Amino acid sequence: MAFSADLAAHLREGVTTTCGAWAIVRRDGQIYGFTDHDMNLSFEGIDFIANTGLTAKALMQTTGLSVDNSEAMGALTSAAVTEEDIIAGRFDGAEVRAWLVNWADVEQRVLQFRGEVGQLTRGNGAFEAELRGLTEALNQPQGRVFQTPCSAVLGDGLCRFDLDTPGYAVELPVQVVERQRVFRFEDLSTMDSFDHRWFERGRLEVLSGKAQGLVAVIKNDRLSADGRMVELWDSLQADIGPGDLIRLEAGCDKRVATCRYKFDNFLNFRGFPHMPGEDWLMAVPKQADSNEGGALVTGDTVSDGFGIGGGGNGGDPGFEGPGA
């Protein structure tokens, strides 16, 4: 970290007027400012509030690729960090910046830490947050993964599929919800064009209400004569009820047939559908096979069930598009 000349001179005086200040930016864009000074501070367009009871332990910084880390502790208050927001996961992965500030002249400051919120716990009216430095990202796997299914996330920069394409997402109000996890729709006027299991493995995003901004993965999507049932893998950790607006997005099971027939996005498929499986090591020539030593891939088909056309990758793909 680089100290300004003014701040360095102030620190050499022996008697200082410094304090800590932290800014937390959640993934939904909400910004929180905290300080351990007894008066509010303001700089970089952020108000740092003094009455939140937030304190931080000493920052541990090392050379090399070790992860800088610290911890912050504070009181759960209705004006700042609430227990409901922590349970809902709104602070998970939030960006954190920490400064050493001369509270008598806030222009004299130095950024000591930048990272994100890690594990966050709460109890007895207080919370404790682990702060992880920028080098934490180096712990994530890098490079391509060689596997049969696609390694991209539907709609990301590798997949490039636009989920706003008509027929692949729908926004509608909640009709019936059970345990914050199971959604039932008896009125199918806005969903009758979507096939059975169309949203399975897709996303549900809450657009209004107390749970606004939360996102969950869809486990089951069942269409029957009684209506439609959409079930999530995990319950939403915030109250959601009838009338709240949600968005359902089509799901992808990472198979090449799904990419080709459901999304018409085969050119961006990021898997290796022709890669033999583990049972290939035990394969032996069979009289019914083509054993002339030629290429296994011919046109749109691959032998031994590795086809990318005609439902070869495990049977009929079963996706004919909305309204089929």
Side-chain angles (χ1 to χ4, degrees), residues 150-227:
C150 181
S151 59
V153 177
L154 181 63
D156 70 2
L158 298 176
C159 172
R160 302 181 185 178
F161 183 80
D162 185 3
L163 282 167
D164 289 327
T165 303
Y168 289 91
V170 61
E171 296 180 5
L172 73 167
V174 173
Q175 296 180 19
V176 178
V177 58
E178 302 170 3
R179 306 186 307 278
Q180 313 293 83
R181 179 179 177 179
V182 178
F183 297 80
R184 300 187 184 278
F185 303 91
E186 298 178 355
D187 180 7
L188 300 177
S189 57
T190 58
M191 301 180 68
D192 57 357
S193 61
F194 296 98
D195 292 341
H196 174 66
R197 302 180 68 179
W198 185 258
F199 299 105
E200 207 161 279
R201 302 195 186 192
R203 298 195 326 157
L204 180 148
E205 180 181 0
V206 185
L207 303 179
S208 68
K210 295 182 179 180
Q212 182 177 355
L214 298 188
V215 177
V217 180
I218 298 173
K219 178 181 180 181
N220 293 311
D221 173 29
R222 298 291 186 264
L223 179 62
S224 66
D226 297 328

Side-chain angles (χ1 to χ4, degrees), residues 94-175:
E95 181 191 25
V96 179
R97 289 178 291 167
W99 292 268
L100 177 67
V101 185
N102 180 355
W103 53 262
D105 181 3
V106 296
E107 294 302 318
Q108 298 180 18
R109 62 181 184 270
V110 61
L111 182 65
Q112 292 185 304
F113 176 86
R114 185 167 189 168
E116 64 179 28
V117 175
Q119 184 177 7
L120 204 156
T121 58
R122 87 285 180 199
N124 298 323
F127 70 91
E128 182 172 343
E130 177 190 16
L131 307 182
R132 300 173 179 172
L134 295 177
T135 48
E136 170 68 18
L138 298 178
N139 290 328
Q140 301 177 5
Q142 305 293 324
R144 293 290 303 274
V145 177
F146 290 87
Q147 59 184 23
T148 301
C150 181
S151 59
V153 177
L154 181 63
D156 70 2
L158 298 176
C159 172
R160 302 181 185 178
F161 183 80
D162 185 3
L163 282 167
D164 289 327
T165 303
Y168 289 91
V170 61
E171 296 180 5
L172 73 167
V174 173
Q175 296 180 19

